[in-house]
């Protein structure tokens, strides 16, 4: 919990400071928040440094719900350029607790052995968004985004056999990559409904952490 509070505080300070700077220049700034559901695309066979598939156990993790907060601002491209007002930079924090899985051994020699797994994922990412304007009145604006940042994966495992159990946990910090498609639907000039689908994957020790994150929320545009 302390880790989440520290990340949230740092994210808030950065967004407020950046928002004040950009707003002073009259650029398009927005803040948003919402919920998400992550569809896992993982094939994890290593837990806390131990390969368990050789023991006939390889739990598949379920998807999980989460939430996000973001700050975005239009990239200051000269107005004369054709692509002016189409590119944005976005900073996002996303928390996905509780990817869970459980499986018993299928091998005769280890029958009755069970492994329970829980994975919590936090990402702090930056991305470039390309958002073409459709029509003279801004009501619907699709976009594509590409970026990356930091992924924090905390995995907790409990191995049990014939009434005995051992629990261990491990936390890894590694880079991550994301690519997304989405749209903003403007309810008013300053409030939009946002929906997005994003593919996220970690690297190094978190290279098996992959998921498609579907999110929905609201943004306030300055």
């Amino acid at each position: 919990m302390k880790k989440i509070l520290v990340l949230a505080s740092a994210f808030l300070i950065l967004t407020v400071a950046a928002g004040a700077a950009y707003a002073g220049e009259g650029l398009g700034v927005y803040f948003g928040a919402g919920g998400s559901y992550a569809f896992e695309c993982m094939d994890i066979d290593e837990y806390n440094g131990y390969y368990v598939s050789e023991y006939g156990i390889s739990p598949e993790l379920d998807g999980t719900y989460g939430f996000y907060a973001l700050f975005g601002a239009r990239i200051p491209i000269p107005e004369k350029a054709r692509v002016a007002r189409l590119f944005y930079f976005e900073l996002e924090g996303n928390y996905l607790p509780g990817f869970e899985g459980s499986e018993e051994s299928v091998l005769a020699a280890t029958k009755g052995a069970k492994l329970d797994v829980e994975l919590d994922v936090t990402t702090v990412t930056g991305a470039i968004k390309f958002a073409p304007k459709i029509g003279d009145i801004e009501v619907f604006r699709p976009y594509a985004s590409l970026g990356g940042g930091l992924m924090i994966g905390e995995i907790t495992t409990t191995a049990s056999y014939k009434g005995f159990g051992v629990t261990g946990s491990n936390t890894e910090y590694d880079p991550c990559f994301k690519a997304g498609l989405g749209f903003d639907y403007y309810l008013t000039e300053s409030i939009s409904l946002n929906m997005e689908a994003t593919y996220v994957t970690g690297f190094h020790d978190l290279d098996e952490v992959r998921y498609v994150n579907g999110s929905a929320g609201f943004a306030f545009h300055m």
Side-chain angles (χ1 to χ4, degrees), residues 41-66:
C41 307
M42 307 181 204
D43 184 20
I44 300 176
D45 59 3
E46 180 183 4
Y47 301 94
N48 297 326
Y50 295 94
Y51 286 92
V52 297
S53 57
E54 61 188 86
Y55 298 101
I57 306 175
S58 185
E60 293 185 2
L61 303 184
D62 295 327
T64 188
Y65 291 94

Side-chain angles (χ1 to χ4, degrees), residues 86 130-134 140-144:
L86 299 183
F130 173 67
K133 186 176 180 180
I134 298 177
F140 178 79
R141 196 158 192 172
Y143 63 81

